[in-house]
Amino acid sequence: MNPNYLDFEQPIADLEAKIEELQLVGSDNNLNIGEEIAKLRDKSIKLTENIYADLSPWQVVKVARHPQRPYTSDYISRMFTDFDELHGDRHFGDDAAIIGGVARLDGKPVMVIGEEKGRSVKDKVMRNFGMPKPEGYRKALRLMEMAERFKMPVLTLIDTPGAYPGIDSEERGISEAIAQNLAVMSRLRTPIICTVIGEGSSGGALAIGVGDQLNMLQYSTYFVISPEGCANIIWKTVDKAPLAAEAMGVTSGNLEKLGIVDETIPEPLGGAHRDLDAMANKLQGRLVEQVDRLNAVNIDELLEKRYQRLMSYGN
Amino acid sequence: MSWLEKIVPNAVRSDKSNKGSKTSSKVPEGLWRKCAKCASVLYRPELERNLDVCPKCEHHMRIGARRRLDVFLDEEGRQELAADVVSVDRLKFKDVKKYKDRLSDAQKKTGEKDALVAMKGTLNGNPVVAVAFEFAFHGGSMGYAVGERFTRAATVALEEDIPLVCFSATGGARMQEALISLMQMAKTSAVIERLKQQGTPYISVMTDPVYGGVSASLALLGDINTAEPGARAGFAGPNIIEQTIRQKLPKGFQRSEFLLEHGAIDMIIPRNEMRERVGGLLAKFTERPAA
């Protein structure tokens, strides 16, 4: 099994392997098999289109957690210029599970805050697999309040398996840290745009997810409890996670219908990791447009609208 | 076993789960009740006079939302708020059982429409809005109805500038309402922030247990955060933490005393002092200097 492909993508992997094989044969024998390869390429694209046209919620979760899924740092380096990372919560430490700093989007200053899972094993460990501790959320809060003072829009990128469930997290008040962010973000006097780029898991995602605009990348996912957690509680086995994902409606389409998500941003064929530059470019374009739109609104009106939207959840 | 029993650790669960055990079966139902902590057999009328606190070991047993408000508010002039708000099964959620059926079962069991009761009344003659979670209703979990009732009650407090007091007891967000439940965290936090900006006091009282999404929103946003003795509160349940870190948790982890020691709460208030202590705090916070 090709690790670059998920289980349900194996037919595509097989086809791609065949194409590769043919290419090798072609260069060996000087045979004109270009036509055959073009045909197979075409078939591979059609196959991918077909598979991706009808992904189950659980399959979307798998794409959202794909090991090659672009992370916050991948987007920061592509969408912004002049990024200065800012560290620390000024009380306890610096949490590498959350990256934050000032940068320029289309030339204009913005505050960027995102959860980062880490790519290499070493990086993953350093970033605690993208599970922030209280100091991470407090750093985010510090940066958001700074953005308010300097009139910068706040752009958040959500991608976490959840806030870290550990002894030290509890000792330092993970609940309070999350709660405080929710409260302050509801009234921060600057536009806030939140985008789920991968996995939006529960309170740990929401803690940087309250704002004026909520985007989801097409194959990202957002849930109140992981499908495995839900399955474990209801069916007593994680094997039923696909059913749990189905029941909870964890995809952008479902959440748009519930009025929680404002915009689904389309991904390249086969997911964001198949063409990271195109994805970053697309997202950047949407963010530029959204920042301009929100900046044009009177801030008091914007805050009232944000509040009324929060009040409307579930109505 | 319900989903809640799975996330809430054994010892946190109500005495109901002990019913089948050998020791408790010897205690006659009705007039007598056994303390889950010290195992003393207690005379029910006496226990009730003591607000369901064990007179021998001071173990604070769980009490329902209505009883909670009944022993907290003055007798006169109570008015229930947002009683018409009920949960809607927007997702048509179905697992081994339909959510709709789970809701009606919980309604039959508790006599409540959902897991939060809100009232406007007075405490020592001073107006107050008080809300209490009903843990027996679906584990006191927060879905739309709980979030909306809390928010409406808080909005009354905001508009009339009268203090808000919340008694929480919950397993967290209600997963059958998925993201709608998660968003109730943002909603309740937003209205609390308005109280804060206006200078209307909000006191949060955590009672056993308070976990998950409620802990990470309304329960820890009080001007004053308090808890009853021995109450357990935290973000992640002990089982989840043990599974994650693969080690045993220290004794007393996530109990009120632990929360006080780690700076999460201002004080621990025993149930029989609740009216007096909360009343005394609110009196100081609402006494405005003469103009």
Side-chain angles (χ1 to χ4, degrees):
Chain A
M1 205 167 122
N2 186 334
N4 292 339
Y5 292 88
L6 298 165
D7 50 0
F8 60 87
E9 293 179 311
Q10 282 311 307
I12 308 169
D14 294 345
L15 211 49
E16 290 293 326
K18 211 181 262 178
I19 293 170
E20 212 169 291
E21 221 170 86
L22 270 180
Q23 276 170 330
L24 287 175
V25 173
S27 56
D28 281 357
N29 301 357
N30 283 330
L31 288 173
N32 185 10
I33 50 168
E35 208 174 302
E36 185 65 15
I37 289 178
K39 244 192 228 163
L40 284 178
R41 282 240 162 85
D42 207 39
K43 202 174 156 192
S44 169
I45 291 170
K46 285 221 172 76
L47 187 63
T48 311
E49 279 171 354
N50 281 341
I51 289 175
Y52 271 77
D54 196 23
L55 291 188
S56 71
W58 179 240
Q59 287 170 330
V60 170
V61 172
K62 285 187 167 177
V63 179
R65 293 174 178 166
H66 196 289
Q68 291 170 344
R69 182 91 183 159
Y71 294 148
T72 286
S73 55
D74 299 313
Y75 287 108
I76 289 181
S77 60
R78 283 168 180 80
M79 299 197 302
F80 305 100
T81 53
D82 203 9
F83 175 64
D84 289 304
E85 185 171 0
L86 304 174
H87 292 275
D89 70 343
R90 298 292 185 273
H91 295 287
F92 179 79
D94 184 41
D95 186 346
I98 290 188
I99 296 178
V102 282
R104 289 179 186 276
L105 174 71
D106 195 29
K108 292 175 210 134
V110 292
M111 185 66 77
V112 194
I113 296 163
E115 287 152 333
E116 171 69 39
K117 290 179 168 176
R119 189 74 58 193
S120 68
V121 173
K122 206 176 138 197
D123 201 28
K124 281 183 201 301
V125 170
M126 190 215 6
R127 300 194 182 279
N128 200 23
F129 300 85
M131 293 184 281
K133 295 182 180 181
E135 49 274 21
Y137 293 116
R138 288 177 183 140
K139 168 169 71 178
L141 184 65
R142 181 173 79 82
L143 301 190
M144 288 190 272
E145 288 178 328
M146 190 192 302
E148 181 182 50
R149 291 198 295 280
F150 297 102
K151 301 191 170 25
M152 295 175 194
V154 173
L155 308 176
T156 72
L157 301 174
I158 296 166
D159 190 16
T160 178
Y164 183 61
I167 294 178
D168 52 344
S169 232
E170 298 286 336
E171 284 176 337
R172 294 196 290 277
I174 187 71
S175 287
E176 193 271 348
I178 294 171
Q180 203 59 47
N181 283 15
L182 306 182
V184 172
M185 289 180 95
S186 74
R187 58 132 175 101
L188 200 76
R189 289 182 71 83
T190 193
I192 306 175
I193 300 170
C194 311
T195 306
V196 185
I197 56 168
E199 191 179 5
S201 185
S202 199
L206 187 65
I208 58 164
V210 178
D212 304 296
Q213 167 86 26
L214 178 58
N215 301 316
M216 277 180 81
L217 300 192
Q218 189 178 3
Y219 305 121
S220 66
T221 178
Y222 201 176
F223 36 72
V224 68
I225 179 172
S226 72
E228 291 90 340
C230 177
N232 209 8
I233 290 166
I234 291 176
W235 289 277
K236 324 288 172 239
T237 165
V238 294
D239 299 345
K240 299 281 187 188
L243 283 179
E246 195 86 41
M248 290 195 294
V250 299
T251 61
S252 62
N254 284 321
L255 298 172
E256 232 179 285
K257 271 184 226 148
L258 287 175
I260 289 169
V261 167
D262 300 294
E263 184 174 332
T264 299
I265 298 172
E267 293 190 21
L269 182 61
H273 60 288
R274 300 274 172 224
D275 193 346
L276 171 52
D277 290 332
M279 184 72 251
N281 192 36
K282 176 94 194 165
L283 177 57
Q284 185 203 36
R286 296 307 303 135
L287 292 177
V288 169
E289 196 272 334
Q290 290 168 0
V291 167
D292 283 349
R293 177 164 50 79
L294 294 174
N295 268 337
V297 182
N298 170 285
I299 187 69
D300 290 314
E301 262 172 55
L302 189 72
L303 289 186
E304 188 53 30
K305 218 178 141 197
R306 189 188 301 165
Y307 186 77
Q308 290 313 330
R309 168 193 168 84
L310 288 168
M311 292 304 112
S312 76
Y313 284 137
N315 288 356
Chain B
M1 204 195 263
S2 79
W3 64 272
L4 181 95
E5 288 171 62
K6 194 89 183 186
I7 55 166
V8 177
N10 268 322
V12 181
R13 269 179 243 151
S14 71
D15 50 335
K16 194 181 138 229
S17 52
N18 294 333
K19 257 186 191 161
S21 73
K22 275 180 198 162
T23 43
S24 61
S25 63
K26 287 180 193 155
V27 180
E29 290 286 320
L31 267 184
W32 301 92
R33 186 168 164 188
K34 193 170 163 177
C35 174
K37 196 177 170 198
C38 72
S40 302
V41 177
L42 306 167
Y43 185 51
R44 250 181 208 275
E46 191 197 332
L47 183 61
E48 270 169 36
R49 268 196 303 279
N50 207 31
L51 306 178
D52 282 44
V53 176
C54 172
K56 303 277 193 304
C57 73
E58 303 202 337
H59 172 57
H60 283 54
M61 302 177 188
R62 287 186 191 151
I63 59 174
R66 276 189 201 272
R67 177 113 197 279
R68 174 70 67 178
L69 296 179
D70 189 45
V71 299
F72 179 69
L73 293 169
D74 296 342
E75 271 176 47
E76 300 296 307
R78 297 174 188 174
Q79 177 199 344
E80 188 164 353
L81 303 171
D84 55 321
V85 177
V86 292
S87 267
V88 190
D89 181 17
R90 293 276 300 276
L91 298 171
K92 305 263 174 285
F93 193 99
K94 191 178 170 236
D95 46 79
V96 284
K97 204 169 168 183
K98 281 187 189 154
Y99 174 45
K100 227 174 62 188
D101 296 339
R102 285 185 193 273
L103 277 177
S104 57
D105 288 354
Q107 285 164 353
K108 271 180 218 142
K109 181 178 144 201
T110 61
E112 296 296 345
K113 290 280 179 226
D114 214 290
L116 186 103
V117 179
M119 281 185 192
K120 188 179 151 186
T122 58
L123 176 63
N124 304 325
N126 300 313
V128 67
V129 172
V131 305
F133 280 73
E134 177 57 65
F135 190 74
F137 190 105
H138 216 285
S141 57
M142 177 162 74
Y144 164 71
V146 169
E148 182 70 13
R149 283 180 177 201
F150 181 94
T151 303
R152 287 200 195 178
T155 303
V156 170
L158 184 73
E159 283 168 357
E160 301 182 19
D161 192 17
I162 51 181
L164 175 67
V165 179
C166 170
F167 296 93
S168 46
T170 173
R174 189 175 295 173
M175 65 185 181
Q176 285 83 354
E177 291 183 41
L179 258 259
I180 292 174
S181 296
L182 190 73
M183 292 304 159
Q184 302 309 311
M185 294 170 64
K187 176 161 135 184
T188 53
S189 300
V191 71
I192 291 168
E193 187 64 14
R194 288 217 162 170
L195 289 172
K196 196 171 164 189
Q197 300 280 309
Q198 178 173 281
T200 301
Y202 166 46
I203 296 185
S204 167
V205 184
M206 291 183 275
T207 73
D208 192 63
V210 179
Y211 277 98
V214 175
S215 155
S217 61
L218 61 94
L220 276 158
L221 287 173
D223 292 295
I224 307 284
N225 292 331
T226 70
E228 284 192 333
R232 249 167 282 204
F235 179 63
N239 297 349
I240 303 282
I241 299 177
E242 280 184 345
Q243 279 165 27
T244 309
I245 62 172
R246 294 177 200 287
Q247 63 188 74
K248 282 272 163 223
L249 296 172
K251 200 165 176 279
F253 182 66
Q254 292 183 328
R255 286 192 188 273
S256 320
E257 297 73 16
F258 168 97
L259 298 175
L260 184 66
E261 189 188 324
H262 287 88
I265 59 174
D266 292 279
M267 61 186 78
I268 294 170
I269 305 181
R271 194 173 291 165
N272 55 15
E273 294 174 22
M274 196 62 74
R275 272 176 60 88
E276 189 196 328
R277 301 270 301 272
V278 173
L281 283 165
L282 288 180
K284 275 166 268 184
F285 284 112
T286 50
E287 193 175 301
R288 304 282 191 259

